[in-house]
Amino acid sequence: MAANYWASTQRRHWQFSREALLDIRQRLEDEDRNLVQQYPLPDRRHLSFFFNGRGCLPRPAKSVMLTVKYEELAKLGKRIVVRQQALATAQVYVRRFYSKVEIRHTNPYLMLATALYLACKMEECPQHIRVVVTEARNIWPGLYAIFPLLLITPNILSDYIISDVSKLGECEFSLISEMNSQLIVHHPYRTLQELQGTLSMAQEDVSLAWSILNDHYLTDLPLLFPPHVIAVTAIFLALTLKPTQAGLQAAASTAAALANASQVPKETSSTGAMPNSPQVKVQNLVSWLAEGEVDIKAVVDCSQEIISLYDVLEQYSEKTCKEQIARFVKARGLDK
C-alpha cells in the first residue's frame, strides 16, 4: 500500500473536497464558538506560513526569486538536519491533525515538534527524542513548556513540562490516534522526478518546480488533490513563471488556457521557436496534458490556489502570528 497511492489511506481517508474540508473546520469552530471569538487568529495561510516556512514564494514584478525563509517547523528541521521529505510529511501531519482538533485547545509548538519527530521515524531518518525536545526548547523558549497535546483539566497544567521527554511521547500517541494510525504520506516529488525527462525540463526548471512543491504545503492542496496533479501544477507554474519572472498574472491567464488543453493539436508544439525554449516547453506540457489522463480542471484549480497563496502572503506578519498564538497559550495557563 505504501507504493500505491490509489489504494492508500491517503486517498481513501485524507482526500477531501473543498466543501467537505470547509464543513469539517466549521464544525470544529462551532463546537466551541466562545473560545474562537475570544482568541481570533490570523488567516489560515498566514498561520501555515508561520508554522512551516516557505520554499520560493515569488512575487509579481520581481526580477529574482526570494530566498528561502525558514519559519517555525523549518527552523526545527534545519537544527536537527532532516530530509525535505520528512519535513513535508510533518507538515501534512499538522494539517491532518488540525482538521480533527481545534488549534486553540493545543500548544501548537508542541504539536510541531511531535509531528516532525514522528515524520522522521516514518521517513526512515529517525531522530532521538531528547535531541528533538532539546532543540525545540532552544528555538521556542518561554512558550515550550506546557501540556499534553489534547484537552486537559486546568488543575494539572503545571505538572506538564516539556523537558520531560515522556510528554512528547504522549503527544505522539495523541497524534497517531487522531490520524487513526494512517501515517503513510505520498508526496509529489517522485512524479516531478519521473516527468523531468519526459518533458525535457532543464535542471533550473526542476529546481523551481521543487520549490513550488515545497510552497504547496502552506495550502490545503495536500488534503484536496492527488500528488501527481500537484506535481504537474508545479511544473506548469515553473515553466510559465520562469521566462519573465514577473508572471504571476501571466501564469494565471495561462492556467485558464489549460482548460482547453484537450483541443490543442499535436502540431502546436512545432513552431518557429527554438527547441527547449520556454515557449516550446509550455507547448509540450499542454500537448502532453491533452493526450494524457491528468485532470486539467484540477491542475487549473491547484495553479490558482498557489498563485493566490503568493498574493495573500504579501500581507503576512510574523509578529501578529506570534502574538495571537501566545495570547491564547498564555491566557489558558499553558505557559506555567
Side-chain angles (χ1 to χ4, degrees):
M1 184 169 290
N4 185 358
Y5 164 77
W6 300 106
S8 68
T9 57
Q10 179 173 339
R11 178 174 179 266
R12 290 186 289 115
H13 301 290
W14 294 102
Q15 205 91 65
F16 307 98
S17 66
R18 290 185 187 274
E19 294 75 17
L21 187 58
L22 181 63
D23 184 59
I24 289 169
R25 288 170 172 165
Q26 190 61 53
R27 286 203 306 269
L28 281 178
E29 293 189 355
D30 290 343
E31 287 173 3
D32 205 337
R33 178 56 58 184
N34 289 338
L35 184 66
V36 171
Q37 292 176 346
Q38 188 175 1
Y39 303 110
L41 291 174
D43 184 287
R44 190 177 301 275
R45 289 168 292 187
H46 288 181
L47 282 179
S48 292
F49 182 68
F50 175 72
F51 289 145
N52 299 320
R54 63 180 161 196
C56 68
L57 294 187
R59 297 182 181 183
K62 294 287 185 181
S63 59
V64 295
M65 290 294 172
L66 300 180
T67 57
V68 176
K69 177 178 178 180
Y70 289 93
E71 297 295 332
E72 304 311 310
L73 184 58
K75 286 178 187 176
L76 181 57
K78 190 176 183 181
R79 288 287 290 267
I80 62 179
V81 191
V82 302
R83 299 202 313 253
Q84 175 60 42
Q85 183 148 318
L87 190 63
T89 297
Q91 291 172 307
V92 174
Y93 286 172
V94 170
R95 199 165 288 276
R96 288 182 179 182
F97 179 81
Y98 284 126
S99 73
K100 303 289 284 293
V101 177
E102 165 57 43
I103 189 173
R104 296 166 183 84
H105 289 310
T106 72
N107 171 8
Y109 297 96
L110 183 56
M111 175 62 213
L112 296 180
T114 303
L116 187 57
Y117 173 67
L118 177 59
C120 286
K121 291 199 288 187
M122 289 303 299
E123 298 296 343
E124 300 181 351
C125 54
Q127 297 288 331
H128 196 284
I129 191 170
R130 291 191 181 278
V131 172
V132 176
V133 169
T134 299
E135 293 299 340
R137 287 172 60 82
N138 290 337
I139 293 172
W140 305 312
L143 283 176
Y144 205 96
I146 327 191
F147 67 111
L149 199 52
L150 300 179
L151 296 175
I152 56 176
T153 55
N155 61 328
I156 60 172
L157 279 173
S158 59
D159 295 337
Y160 293 92
I161 307 300
I162 196 58
S163 57
D164 180 355
V165 296
S166 67
K167 302 313 173 193
L168 192 141
E170 293 175 11
C171 293
E172 181 186 19
F173 177 81
S174 298
L175 177 58
I176 293 171
S177 177
E178 289 297 338
M179 293 194 296
N180 301 315
S181 301
Q182 295 160 353
L183 305 179
I184 295 174
V185 178
H186 294 260
H187 295 284
Y189 299 112
R190 180 182 296 181
T191 302
L192 171 60
Q193 293 171 329
E194 292 173 350
L195 291 178
Q196 178 179 359
T198 302
L199 299 175
S200 303
M201 297 175 66
Q203 186 54 49
E204 57 186 335
D205 299 327
V206 176
S207 297
L208 180 53
W210 192 283
S211 293
I212 293 171
L213 289 183
N214 294 345
D215 290 343
H216 99 276
Y217 290 103
L218 304 180
T219 72
D220 288 329
L221 293 181
L223 300 182
L224 298 174
F225 295 102
H228 72 277
V229 170
I230 297 169
V232 170
T233 300
I235 293 170
F236 166 71
L237 289 176
L239 295 179
T240 55
L241 284 174
K242 182 190 162 196
T244 64
Q245 297 292 331
L248 285 181
Q249 290 88 349
S253 45
T254 309
L258 277 179
N260 299 319
S262 59
Q263 285 145 33
V264 176
K266 290 184 181 179
E267 297 82 56
T268 52
S269 61
S270 54
T271 66
M274 293 292 292
N276 294 326
S277 69
Q279 180 185 0
V280 168
K281 289 178 183 178
V282 172
Q283 290 173 340
N284 288 342
L285 173 61
V286 172
S287 297
W288 178 82
L289 286 171
E291 296 169 1
E293 298 181 356
V294 178
D295 186 339
I296 304 294
K297 183 178 183 302
V299 173
V300 173
D301 288 346
C302 285
S303 300
Q304 292 171 340
E305 179 75 17
I306 293 175
I307 292 168
S308 69
L309 168 72
Y310 296 151
D311 287 337
V312 78
L313 290 181
E314 292 287 343
Q315 289 79 47
Y316 168 73
S317 168
E318 179 181 357
K319 180 174 180 289
T320 299
C321 289
K322 278 186 176 180
E323 288 176 351
Q324 293 186 332
I325 291 171
R327 183 168 172 261
F328 76 78
V329 170
K330 292 180 178 180
R332 292 171 64 82
L334 306 179
D335 59 337
K336 303 200 185 298

